[in-house]
C-alpha cells in the first residue's frame, strides 16, 4: 500500500512539474536555413533580461548545443536559456521538461530543464531575445518616421 501511494505521488508530481514537449517540424526545414537560424538565435541581442514565460505558453524549443536552449512561446517571442554548465545530452534530446523549484507554472532563470533520461540541468540565464525579423521591422519603422512627408508638398498650391 505504501509503495502504491509513493508511485501515485511520484506520478502526480511528474504530471504537474514536467511538461514534455516534442520537437516538431524538424524534417521540413533545410539544414542550411536551420543552421543560419541557430546562429542568429545564438548571437541575437537580448530584449529583456531575466524574462519569464508561462509553461503552458511554450510552443516549441530547440537545443543549439549542450549549453543553450531556445524556447518559442505561442505569441512568437523567443527566449534563450543557458544552463549553468554543460548539459550532456541536451543537443541530442527529443523530449524535455521544465521544472521550477517553487512549483510555479512559469519558466524563468530559476528553472531547470529535465531530459528524458532524468538528467536535470539548472538555468544560468533565461532572456527574451530580439529576432532578426523584429530588428529589421523596427529599423524600417524608424526610417519611415525620419523621412519628410512628400505628399503634403505635392498637394499645396504653387505660389505665383
Amino acid at each position: 500500500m505504501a509503495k502504491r501511494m509513493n508511485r501515485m505521488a511520484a506520478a502526480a508530481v511528474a504530471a504537474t512539474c514536467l511538461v514534455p514537449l516534442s520537437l516538431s517540424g524538424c524534417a521540413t526545414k533545410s539544414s542550411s536555413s536551420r543552421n543560419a537560424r541557430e546562429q542568429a538565435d545564438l548571437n541575437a541581442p537580448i530584449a529583456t533580461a531575466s524574462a519569464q514565460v508561462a509553461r503552458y505558453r511554450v510552443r516549441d524549443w530547440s537545443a543549439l548545443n549542450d549549453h543553450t536552449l531556445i524556447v518559442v512561446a505561442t505569441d512568437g517571442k523567443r527566449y534563450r536559456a543557458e544552463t549553468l554548465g554543460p548539459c550532456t545530452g541536451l543537443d541530442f534530446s527529443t523530449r524535455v521538461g521544465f521544472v521550477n523549484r517553487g512549483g510555479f507554472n512559469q519558466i524563468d532563470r530559476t528553472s531547470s530543464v529535465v531530459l528524458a533520461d532524468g538528467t536535470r540541468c539548472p538555468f544560468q540565464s533565461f532572456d527574451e531575445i530580439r529576432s532578426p525579423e523584429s530588428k529589421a521591422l523596427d529599423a524600417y519603422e524608424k526610417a519611415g518616421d525620419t523621412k519628410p512627408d512628400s505628399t503634403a508638398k505635392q498637394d499645396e498650391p504653387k505660389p505665383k
Side-chain angles (χ1 to χ4, degrees):
M1 184 69 176
K3 280 186 177 182
R4 183 173 182 211
M5 293 301 287
N6 286 342
R7 288 182 190 157
M8 289 176 57
V13 168
T16 59
C17 293
L18 298 177
V19 179
L21 299 172
S22 63
L23 182 62
S24 61
C26 63
T28 61
K29 297 179 183 178
S30 69
S31 63
S32 63
S33 66
R34 183 175 182 192
N35 289 339
R37 180 63 180 193
E38 287 177 355
Q39 282 299 321
D41 285 339
L42 194 59
N43 300 323
I46 295 173
T48 307
S50 296
Q52 61 186 13
V53 65
R55 286 191 305 186
Y56 58 86
R57 295 204 183 272
V58 173
R59 179 181 65 194
D60 196 12
W61 64 272
S62 62
L64 303 182
N65 52 36
D66 64 349
H67 185 64
T68 308
L69 185 72
I70 299 296
V71 177
V72 182
T74 55
D75 59 358
K77 292 183 180 179
R78 302 175 73 78
Y79 300 89
R80 181 174 50 222
E82 294 182 359
T83 59
L84 196 56
C87 187
T88 307
L90 177 63
D91 49 347
F92 298 108
S93 184
T94 57
R95 293 181 302 160
V96 298
F98 299 100
V99 179
N100 194 309
R101 289 172 60 195
F104 301 113
N105 212 10
Q106 66 187 12
I107 303 169
D108 58 11
R109 66 179 183 86
T110 63
S111 300
S112 299
V113 63
V114 180
L115 305 182
D117 65 353
T119 305
R120 182 182 228 165
C121 304
F123 290 153
Q124 173 182 341
S125 64
F126 188 82
D127 304 317
E128 181 183 347
I129 57 175
R130 286 185 63 189
S131 65
E133 294 87 6
S134 69
K135 188 176 179 182
L137 182 60
D138 290 345
Y140 177 77
E141 289 174 348
K142 284 182 183 177
D145 291 341
T146 59
K147 292 183 180 177
D149 192 14
S150 61
T151 58
K153 291 182 181 178
Q154 292 176 356
D155 294 339
E156 294 176 5
K158 294 181 180 179
K160 292 183 181 182

